[in-house]
Amino acid sequence: MVTRVVDLRSDTVTKPTELMRLAMVKAEVDDDVLGFDPTAFRLENEMATLMGKEAALFVPSGTMGNLISVLVHCNIRGSEVILGHNSHIHIYENGGIATLGGVHPRTVMNNKDGTMDIDLIESAIRDPRGELVYPTTRLICLENSQANCGGKCLSAEYTDRVGELAKKHGLKLHIDGARIFNAAVALGVPVDRLVQAADSVSVCLSKGLGAPVGSVIVGSKSFIAQARVLRKTLGGGMRQVGILCAAAFVAVKENVEKLEIDHKNAKTLAEGLNQVKGMSVDVASVETNIIYVDIVESSKYTAEKLCNYLKKHGVLVMQEGPFRIRIVLHHQISASDVQYALSIFEQVFTGVQEENGN
């Protein structure tokens, strides 16, 4: 019987803290669709200030936040957005920008560090003289940190260059900032500096920050006014949403400083796993709270088999391929949890479990 669970599947599995639960109980609320929920208003003002933007809007999820942002910027069907081939918007959001918005995605190869080459982005911008046959490029999207590249951080300088390119061609820049606070902490750069060049940013509150629900999108006042209409259209308008925003406000105030500990624990675990025979981790690439672990194919384990063994001992991870798993640290994983998880990995690959009949 499992007596200890160390959940490393994602930073979305965090549970509301006692402070969050208390804030939810005491939240002052009204009807947010009518624009009168005071707690939502407080959170949105806080996030706009933190991000250095004029206004903000609470939405149920990061997927909705990205979808709304793309649709506001690409408000004519048949528009095109340039984004990374490994980006969350392109891979994990059900093709919503195309299905619901009629926006055509044009992908550019993500490098291992999460960037896209500037010259490749520029070459992907459609020649406006070809409007008879081409979609019209209206938007560039970045992701920071870049999850599928291992939580890699995009620098402010790189983002500035993409922003300059967008302005040169009359385009908008959106940042999927699901883990933008992770990037800011890892780089030691204020979060508003990281998104200074962006016209809009979506910020997830229920990943590293640990809120139970929600994201916020930020941008200009006119952008947020249009976003508010689209939120209602997509079914994201909620009434006494301050109950959720109260927990999110606590998350922003209490948990940003904990991200550095998450990153430290991730590095410790990555270094330990890389010493386990039969596993390989690019330790140098672990910049934030995400670790990708490759299983040596000559070993007796597949990712599926390994996940099953780990689960029997209370260690939960995510399978990413036949011989690859993903591990994500969060503020409810302690240094002791890291050592316990590492001990279970070592047991698996030294054959202790099989010898004990497990």
Side-chain angles (χ1 to χ4, degrees):
M1 179 178 177
V2 175
T3 58
R4 182 173 187 173
V5 175
V6 178
D7 196 338
L8 302 171
R9 291 173 298 167
S10 178
D11 45 10
T12 61
V13 303
T14 53
K15 306 299 188 295
T17 63
E18 289 304 313
L19 283 177
M20 290 180 193
R21 293 175 189 271
L22 182 61
M24 293 170 77
V25 169
K26 293 185 174 182
E28 184 182 358
V29 298
D30 203 321
D31 190 327
D32 187 52
V33 174
L34 299 181
F36 292 111
D37 191 294
T39 306
F41 184 74
R42 182 176 68 148
L43 174 68
E44 289 165 352
N45 279 347
E46 177 72 14
M47 292 303 294
T49 299
L50 281 174
M51 296 292 155
K53 304 301 180 186
E54 290 181 345
L57 183 69
F58 182 82
V59 294
S61 70
T63 293
M64 183 180 284
N66 285 330
L67 176 61
I68 289 172
S69 298
V70 172
L71 298 193
V72 170
H73 293 309
C74 300
N75 58 358
I76 300 174
R77 293 184 70 85
S79 298
E80 186 169 72
V81 55
I82 297 171
L83 72 177
H85 84 290
N86 229 350
S87 65
H88 195 279
I89 293 175
H90 184 59
I91 297 176
Y92 296 116
E93 298 184 8
N94 296 106
I97 60 172
T99 304
L100 301 178
V103 179
H104 185 264
R106 187 167 200 195
T107 58
V108 171
M109 185 73 69
N110 283 112
N111 299 314
K112 289 184 178 180
D113 65 358
T115 64
M116 298 177 282
D117 290 344
I118 300 293
D119 58 342
L120 292 182
I121 297 175
E122 186 160 30
S123 66
I125 299 171
R126 303 289 188 176
D127 187 336
R129 293 171 297 180
E131 62 181 355
L132 183 65
V133 292
Y134 297 145
T136 301
T137 309
R138 299 187 188 278
L139 177 66
I140 302 170
C141 288
L142 299 176
E143 181 180 336
N144 198 12
S145 65
Q146 223 293 344
N148 263 13
C149 294
K152 302 304 281 291
C153 305
L154 305 185
S155 69
E157 292 74 20
Y158 172 78
T159 305
D160 288 346
R161 291 179 63 198
V162 177
E164 290 166 4
L165 177 65
K167 287 181 179 179
K168 173 183 173 183
H169 292 275
L171 310 180
K172 299 295 185 181
L173 172 62
H174 172 69
I175 296 178
D176 175 1
R179 295 182 175 91
I180 192 69
F181 283 104
N182 288 91
V185 169
L187 293 171
V189 175
V191 68
D192 61 330
R193 177 65 187 91
L194 280 187
V195 301
Q196 183 176 300
D199 296 285
S200 62
V201 187
S202 63
V203 184
C204 187
L205 304 169
S206 62
K207 290 189 172 71
L209 297 188
V213 177
S215 288
V216 168
I217 50 179
V218 300
S220 67
K221 290 180 180 178
S222 62
F223 168 84
I224 292 300
Q226 295 174 72
R228 188 177 297 277
V229 174
L230 270 174
R231 183 185 70 172
K232 177 65 174 172
T233 303
L234 294 170
M238 296 178 286
R239 302 298 179 175
Q240 286 70 43
V241 73
I243 291 176
L244 301 177
C245 292
F249 192 86
V250 172
V252 172
K253 290 297 185 181
E254 300 289 335
N255 289 342
V256 172
E257 64 185 26
K258 298 177 183 177
L259 297 176
E260 187 173 0
I261 299 173
D262 298 343
H263 300 170
K264 180 180 178 181
N265 284 338
K267 184 70 81 170
T268 298
L269 183 54
E271 291 170 347
L273 292 174
N274 196 46
Q275 298 300 312
V276 178
K277 187 176 181 180
M279 307 185 74
S280 175
V281 180
D282 182 0
V283 176
S285 74
V286 180
E287 295 180 356
T288 54
N289 63 327
I290 299 175
I291 308 169
Y292 281 99
V293 183
D294 292 306
I295 304 167
V296 177
E297 293 189 29
S298 60
S299 76
K300 57 187 176 182
Y301 293 103
T302 62
E304 181 179 10
K305 187 176 180 181
L306 175 59
C307 288
N308 289 336
Y309 272 127
L310 294 172
K311 186 176 180 180
K312 290 179 181 178
H313 290 266
V315 177
L316 308 180
V317 299
M318 190 82 75
Q319 181 179 344
E320 284 289 315
F323 295 96
R324 171 170 269 212
I325 62 172
R326 188 187 80 159
I327 293 171
V328 184
L329 281 293
H330 51 82
H331 75 95
Q332 290 173 338
I333 297 296
S334 66
S336 173
D337 291 329
V338 168
Q339 293 304 316
Y340 175 76
L342 184 57
S343 71
I344 299 302
F345 274 99
E346 291 171 343
Q347 288 178 28
V348 170
F349 280 89
T350 56
V352 172
Q353 290 193 41
E354 291 189 353
E355 290 171 8
N356 290 339
N358 293 324

